[in-house]
Amino acid sequence: MKKVRLFVNENEKSRETANELTELLYSRGFTITEENYEIAISIGGDGAFLRMVKETDFDPSIYYIGIHTGTLGFLPEVLPNELKEFVSYLEYGDYKVNEVGVLETIVECKKDSKHFISLNEIVVRDSLLNSLTLDIKLENELLERFKGDGMLVSTSIGSTAYNLSFGGSMVYFKLHTLQLTPIAPFNSNSYRNLQNSVIIPEYVPIEMMPVEKNDLLLTIDGENHYIKGVTKINTKVGNKKIKRLRYHNVPFSKIIKEKFLG
Ligand code: NAP
Ligand code: MN
């Protein structure tokens, strides 16, 4: 594999790292190109990794890897002071690769339907951020009639992002799960809701049907979509997987400790 594409964050540290990496890659016979590349490298943080995957349309044939130039990231794992060793790894590498499931969401509306792909999560809320009611079904069985601000569905990789801020759990990346995290669930004598996240295998489809209010705000990996007349949201990890090239294989507990406990 000799063709590489770079996705560089707009800051000095990332640009410097990109320049250094470019020189090293050229000196070892690599080409940097925007077409027919085999390896995609982000330089930045988790956000940069996410944008790279999105910009390349979640391509299952590419190897994705990130260099972290910001605060410690969960997704990018190469350090800027490791570029030489990293380029040797790319040159001679006996590649370690993880397959990462991608969340596929179909939103059925009164007239048509829409299709979305995400790596971290989807967030379902009322379009005006008022409360909403959702019938949530797992394996064709009603789990609950949810009432509250909304519902977040996160992959394992996304579990350390938005999901965590809404009180969800961090899930070991090697586990292939989806997590349903309620956002401000009502809890009174009139409305009983699950107050905690439910973690399910990633292949179990989730259905969410809005009751009464059908105009929703869907946030897909941080991008907002206002969708009118929604009748049903189907989401699951299908057969589509992307390849995450591993470098350090940093233990999950180590990243958590460094990122959250200092
Ligand atoms: P943003 O404002 O650019 O902020 C995203 C923050 O989430 C950054 O600090 C980013 O880390 C971090 N992040 C992204 N993916 C992560 C992952 N898989 N594990 C751990 N941290 C992660 O966000 P955006 O562009 O609107 O949306 C991108 C993602 O950010 C969303 O998918 C969502 O998960 C997350 N987000 C979180 C909140 C929140 O926690 N309140 C709010 C909005 C969005 P880096 O600094 O390393 O890039
Ligand atoms: Mn690292």
Side-chain angles (χ1 to χ4, degrees):
M1 296 199 292
K2 285 281 178 182
K3 289 183 185 158
V4 180
R5 182 169 171 192
L6 302 184
F7 295 81
V8 188
N9 259 6
E10 283 298 316
N11 59 62
E12 207 180 319
K13 177 85 187 158
S14 298
R15 275 192 298 269
E16 278 172 9
T17 304
N19 290 341
E20 198 185 321
L21 180 64
T22 302
E23 250 177 59
L24 280 165
L25 285 170
Y26 277 128
S27 74
R28 304 287 190 89
F30 287 85
T31 344
I32 294 172
T33 168
E34 306 223 330
E35 271 163 30
N36 301 320
Y37 44 90
E38 298 136 320
I39 306 170
I41 304 174
S42 69
I43 303 178
D46 289 313
F49 191 94
L50 213 58
R51 281 190 292 280
M52 160 177 78
V53 174
K54 191 176 170 219
E55 261 187 71
T56 54
D57 245 351
F58 301 80
D59 191 335
S61 68
I62 298 173
Y63 292 86
Y64 292 102
I65 189 158
I67 298 173
H68 57 94
T69 51
T71 49
L72 180 68
F74 276 91
L75 301 171
E77 58 174 334
V78 181
L79 289 167
N81 63 18
E82 302 170 325
L83 295 184
K84 257 202 181 129
E85 299 87 327
F86 172 57
V87 173
S88 293
Y89 170 71
L90 292 184
E91 195 175 8
Y92 305 110
D94 160 22
Y95 294 147
K96 293 184 282 287
V97 176
N98 286 162
E99 298 231 302
V100 177
V102 161
L103 195 56
E104 296 189 51
T105 303
I106 295 168
V107 183
E108 294 177 16
C109 304
K110 284 173 185 150
K111 288 190 187 131
D112 55 357
S113 67
K114 291 177 170 47
H115 184 240
F116 298 100
I117 301 187
S118 53
L119 200 59
N120 275 344
E121 77 281 290
I122 64 163
V123 186
V124 180
R125 283 174 286 195
D126 168 69
S127 62
L128 298 172
L129 302 180
N130 292 320
S131 71
L132 89 171
T133 308
L134 288 172
D135 278 345
I136 313 256
K137 275 189 179 178
L138 297 180
E139 296 172 298
N140 291 317
E141 187 72 35
L142 187 70
L143 173 73
E144 65 173 337
R145 173 159 282 191
F146 169 86
K147 200 169 165 75
D149 277 19
M151 190 59 73
L152 182 150
V153 179
S154 154
T155 59
S156 299
I157 275 213
S159 69
T160 50
Y162 216 167
N163 170 68
L164 197 65
S165 307
F166 278 125
S169 293
M170 291 181 254
V171 179
Y172 209 92
F173 285 179
K174 280 184 187 148
L175 291 176
H176 299 267
T177 69
L178 287 179
Q179 179 164 185
L180 277 147
T181 297
I183 303 171
F186 282 27
N187 192 26
S188 67
N189 288 334
S190 343
Y191 298 104
R192 287 266 163 253
N193 279 297
L194 297 171
Q195 300 293 305
N196 301 96
S197 298
V198 176
I199 298 177
I200 62 172
E202 68 175 7
Y203 54 80
V204 170
I206 302 168
E207 286 171 80
M208 292 181 272
M209 275 79 61
V211 180
E212 287 166 29
K213 290 181 208 159
N214 297 84
D215 295 348
L216 303 182
L217 167 62
L218 256 73
T219 310
I220 316 271
D221 279 355
E223 199 178 270
N224 288 329
H225 301 265
Y226 288 92
I227 308 178
K228 288 202 159 125
V230 177
T231 50
K232 196 201 264 188
I233 299 165
N234 295 290
T235 193
K236 68 162 183 179
V237 172
N239 296 326
K240 194 176 168 108
K241 301 262 193 288
I242 60 160
K243 292 199 276 281
R244 182 172 170 224
L245 188 61
R246 304 303 308 273
Y247 184 60
H248 288 301
N249 260 321
V250 189
F252 190 67
S253 53
K254 186 166 185 240
I255 313 179
I256 291 180
K257 237 169 24 204
E258 284 182 24
K259 182 120 177 174
F260 299 115
L261 302 174

